[in-house]
């Protein structure tokens, strides 16, 4: 079955960067886009961007442009999300999700990123 | 950018009752790229419906999606205890982005 397993929780200081991984299995990694979505404490879902694992092409929400990078390693079926210049408002659970028919049919378990001095 | 407005913010119902959740888009959603998710505390979202009305794998038939254009509805028939959760709608736009509504919480009355 499809699995998306994310890396563990992170605590970072303001101004630092964080890189979260999303290891996939159970399907052909190159065949489906992977999206990144975050959720601040007690808030709703916020789309951040996607990567096309086949081509490496990416797109990010305008809000995150310049701070948000999505990459992949096809040899290990893993996608990565890096967010730089962290601030307290970036404290959130970060999710990866597989795109099937323009919806997220499988999600990672989430990675809590806490930004605190 | 399309904005999705979900209503009501909170729905208080008893098990056995039916829930009607609304998602209204600020512009017409083309190609029926509208999905619904359920999220429980501490869990990742779970896809319920995509393409407006197609249930995802393993989703019970008490969940149904409908609508077109700018107005969409998720109906949950005969609520069972595990259905009390937060529900989000999501659209995929021509700018190749996802947008989520702010969610509707279905709580036990």
């Amino acid at each position: 079955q499809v699995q998306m397993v994310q890396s563990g929780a992170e605590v970072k200081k303001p101004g630092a960067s964080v890189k979260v991984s999303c290891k996939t299995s159970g399907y052909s990694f190159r065949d489906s886009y992977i999206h990144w979505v975050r959720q601040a404490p007690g808030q709703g879902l916020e789309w951040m961007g996607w990567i096309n694992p086949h081509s490496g092409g990416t797109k990010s929400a305008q809000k995150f442009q310049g701070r948000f990078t999505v990459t992949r390693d096809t040899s290990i079926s893993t996608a990565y999300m890096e967010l730089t210049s962290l601030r307290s408002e970036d404290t959130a659970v970060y999710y990866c999700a597989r795109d099937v028919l323009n919806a997220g049919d499988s999600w990672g378990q989430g990675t809590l990123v806490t930004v605190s001095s | 950018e399309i904005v999705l407005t979900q209503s009501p913010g909170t729905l208080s119902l008893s098990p056995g009752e039916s829930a009607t959740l609304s998602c209204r888009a600020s512009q017409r959603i083309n190609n029926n790229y509208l999905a619904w998710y359920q999220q429980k505390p501490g869990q990742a979202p779970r896809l319920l419906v995509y393409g407006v009305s197609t249930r995802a794998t393993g989703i019970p038939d008490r969940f149904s999606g409908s609508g077109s254009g700018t107005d969409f509805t998720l109906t949950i028939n005969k609520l069972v205890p595990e259905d009390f959760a937060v529900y989000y709608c999501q659209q995929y736009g021509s700018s190749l982005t996802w947008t989520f509504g702010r969610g509707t919480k279905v709580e036990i009355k």
Side-chain angles (χ1 to χ4, degrees), chain A residues 35 39 50 59 95 102 104, chain B residues 33 37 39 90 95-96 98:
Chain A
H35 294 256
Q39 187 169 38
W50 54 251
K59 184 171 181 72
Y95 294 101
N102 303 307
Chain B
Y33 290 147
Y37 300 85
Q39 188 179 34
Q90 170 251 317
S95 55
L96 310 182
W98 282 4

Side-chain angles (χ1 to χ4, degrees), chain A residues 68-85:
Chain A
F68 173 74
T69 303
V70 190
T71 56
R72 93 292 193 212
D73 184 339
T74 57
S75 68
I76 56 172
S77 301
T78 299
Y80 303 90
M81 179 281 296
E82 183 172 24
L83 191 62
T84 63
S85 301

